[in-house]
Amino acid sequence: MVQALLELYPFKTLYIADLDAISGHGDHQSVIFALRTRYPQLEIWLDPGIKQPEQLALWNGLELNLIIGSEGLVSRRQYELLVEALEPRRTLLSLDFKREGYIGAVEVLGNAALWPQRLIAMTLQHVGSGQGPDLKLLQELILRAGHGRVYAAGGIRDRRDLEQLK
């Protein structure tokens, strides 16, 4: 699949959400190791569902950019322990939202000073929905972040959406 994507366009970054790991039902560590080996030129962003710092040892030495997903956060302290254990330039935070609202520790959402330089605005109800990106949420997070980069996830339908997001 990665090779097919690279044949379409010379992407520089690959985002992987290990849904098994996120849901606590195994992981795809061997596949991710193989991808890292086969495509060393790719910057890989990985959400492996990390909830505790000791889970990070599994990914040491692979030069991955690890994503902390807010859906697994129950407290600000848990988030701070993860951030302390990660290399700042390789850390992303995914603020995850469902139709009902934000998923995760509200202390993290409420304090933009805690956010790393790269933030993902993940609108889960828009994924595969054909609704387009949640521009209102994205604009709010960009204003609150005040620094770094904010990436839209969920709902992107076509080139027009990409141009609008740019």
Side-chain angles (χ1 to χ4, degrees), residues 8-155:
L8 288 173
Y9 186 84
F11 295 102
K12 294 181 175 144
T13 304
L14 175 66
Y15 172 96
I16 301 171
D18 186 338
L19 298 179
D20 285 349
I22 291 169
S23 66
H25 297 98
D27 61 56
H28 290 94
Q29 178 191 18
S30 62
V31 173
I32 294 162
F33 280 16
L35 288 172
R36 172 79 284 153
T37 302
R38 183 162 180 199
Y39 302 99
Q41 77 282 11
L42 280 177
E43 179 179 354
I44 296 179
W45 293 8
L46 174 65
D47 183 346
I50 52 175
K51 294 176 180 62
Q52 303 301 324
E54 48 275 4
Q55 293 175 287
L56 298 171
L58 189 64
W59 309 106
N60 283 343
L62 287 179
E63 296 188 25
L64 299 170
N65 295 273
L66 292 175
I67 298 167
I68 300 170
S70 70
E71 66 190 351
L73 298 175
V74 295
S75 71
R76 174 181 172 160
R77 183 67 185 139
Q78 175 195 15
Y79 171 74
E80 289 171 336
L81 289 171
L82 289 170
V83 170
E84 288 171 15
L86 289 166
E87 188 178 341
R89 69 180 185 87
R90 293 196 176 277
T91 304
L92 293 100
L93 171 62
S94 179
L95 294 175
D96 303 328
F97 295 84
K98 284 187 177 178
R99 183 168 282 107
E100 301 81 28
Y102 173 71
I103 310 165
V106 293
E107 306 94 346
V108 174
L109 176 64
N111 189 344
L114 297 173
W115 301 349
Q117 290 294 310
R118 295 181 296 171
L119 185 72
I120 299 170
M122 176 64 74
T123 312
L124 294 165
Q125 76 269 16
H126 285 226
V127 173
S129 70
Q131 297 179 44
D134 187 341
L135 296 174
K136 182 179 178 199
L137 172 67
L138 192 59
Q139 288 171 343
E140 177 186 325
L141 292 176
I142 289 169
L143 288 173
R144 290 189 50 215
H147 69 285
R149 299 192 70 128
V150 179
Y151 299 90

